[in-house]
Amino acid sequence: MRSSATVLMMTLLVSLPGFADEAAGVAAEAVKDEMVEAKKSKFKDAWVHPDADFTRYNQLMFAPTADWEFRDVGQGKTSRTNTYSTNSKNQYGIREEDREKFKQTVSESFLKEMQRSKKFAIVDTAGPTTILIKAAVVDIVSNVPPEYVGRSEVYLASTGEATLVLELLDSETGAVLAYVEDRRKIQPAGSSGSLNSFSMPSNSVTVWSDIKRWARSGASRLRSSLEKAQKG
């Protein structure tokens, strides 16, 4: 049976309320008025409150809602007509069932990585030593063409791309401690971002492995950043 913390994390990463716009607006004001850019962050863009004291926290609580935003590039298709495909720029619609699988895959992979922390316990109640994390995955795009019925090969420099948005708050006061926007490509294993003679064909198995690795990487950066900040 899943623990309540696990269920809460799954709810966080599978719910669909409009958190992103609200969070971005709140964080934007905080960044302008109170926060400073974290120049040595593991994330692409990160800001912290100058008075934030992460040494006093040892628990993480995830907000019960999150947002998933897929870029509108047209309806997802189930098949294509050409047998051979290379792609580094084209964007394809994502079918509803694949969107749901994306959410679940990212959810489970993110949670598994966060649970590796030996410094922070995941809890489901606010407290004086608990950080509340609000999250969103937005502007999700896919570079994966529809499947072709029969033998075919697809070579991908990038499986897709998405932005991870994180807002960290004191769970009791609601004070914003840090804010992150991290846009990265979802790349095949060993990819340098471009196709070459060593590139391997992609398929449904490798694509979902790429997505799992992307989610674990984001969670790993969050986990290690929090653990480092906790040390002071």
Side-chain angles (χ1 to χ4, degrees):
M1 181 178 294
R2 291 176 174 169
S3 67
S4 59
T6 302
V7 173
L8 182 64
M9 184 62 178
M10 291 299 293
T11 302
L12 159 72
L13 290 172
V14 178
S15 299
L16 288 171
F19 158 72
D21 292 340
E22 178 183 351
V26 171
E29 290 302 316
V31 169
K32 290 179 182 178
D33 299 336
E34 301 177 10
M35 306 182 82
V36 295
E37 185 175 0
K39 298 185 180 297
K40 295 184 179 181
S41 171
K42 294 179 180 293
F43 296 96
K44 297 288 187 179
D45 297 289
W47 297 264
V48 296
H49 195 287
D51 296 330
D53 179 11
F54 288 91
T55 63
R56 58 186 291 261
Y57 298 102
N58 59 13
Q59 295 181 321
L60 303 176
M61 173 184 173
F62 294 93
T65 59
D67 181 77
W68 300 85
E69 178 189 295
F70 294 84
R71 185 182 296 180
D72 184 7
V73 296
Q75 187 175 359
K77 299 180 179 179
T78 59
S79 63
R80 57 187 167 87
T81 57
N82 58 310
T83 59
Y84 183 85
S85 178
T86 61
N87 177 49
S88 60
K89 297 181 179 179
N90 291 338
Q91 298 170 5
Y92 299 93
I94 305 174
R95 296 179 302 170
E96 188 59 36
E97 54 266 42
D98 289 329
R99 293 186 180 200
E100 293 304 316
K101 186 174 181 179
F102 179 91
K103 297 171 192 175
Q104 183 172 359
T105 299
V106 171
S107 302
E108 293 175 348
S109 301
F110 197 98
L111 173 60
K112 185 176 181 180
E113 182 63 34
M114 290 301 296
Q115 288 178 324
R116 293 183 57 195
S117 178
K118 294 181 173 58
K119 302 293 184 180
F120 288 89
I122 297 177
V123 299
D124 54 11
T125 56
T129 63
T130 302
I131 295 174
L132 171 64
I133 300 176
K134 293 183 178 180
V137 182
V138 301
D139 198 19
I140 305 163
V141 297
S142 171
N143 295 334
V144 182
E147 292 185 359
Y148 178 81
V149 179
R151 297 186 63 182
S152 64
E153 289 186 328
V154 177
Y155 290 82
L156 299 174
S158 172
T159 302
E161 195 170 354
T163 300
L164 176 65
V165 180
L166 299 169
E167 190 176 11
L168 280 61
L169 306 93
D170 182 283
S171 67
E172 288 193 327
T173 68
V176 180
L177 305 173
Y179 175 76
V180 167
E181 285 186 7
D182 193 69
R183 184 163 189 80
R184 293 178 187 261
K185 291 182 178 180
I186 304 171
Q187 296 187 159
S191 172
S192 60
S194 60
L195 297 173
N196 54 50
S197 59
F198 298 101
S199 298
M200 300 296 292
S202 296
N203 54 50
S204 61
V205 174
T206 63
V207 164
W208 290 113
S209 294
D210 299 341
I211 293 170
K212 290 178 182 179
R213 188 167 52 254
W214 178 87
R216 289 198 305 268
S217 178
S220 177
R221 288 192 297 278
L222 174 60
R223 177 175 55 81
S224 61
S225 295
L226 285 170
E227 291 176 349
K228 182 178 179 180
Q230 188 197 54
K231 294 179 181 179

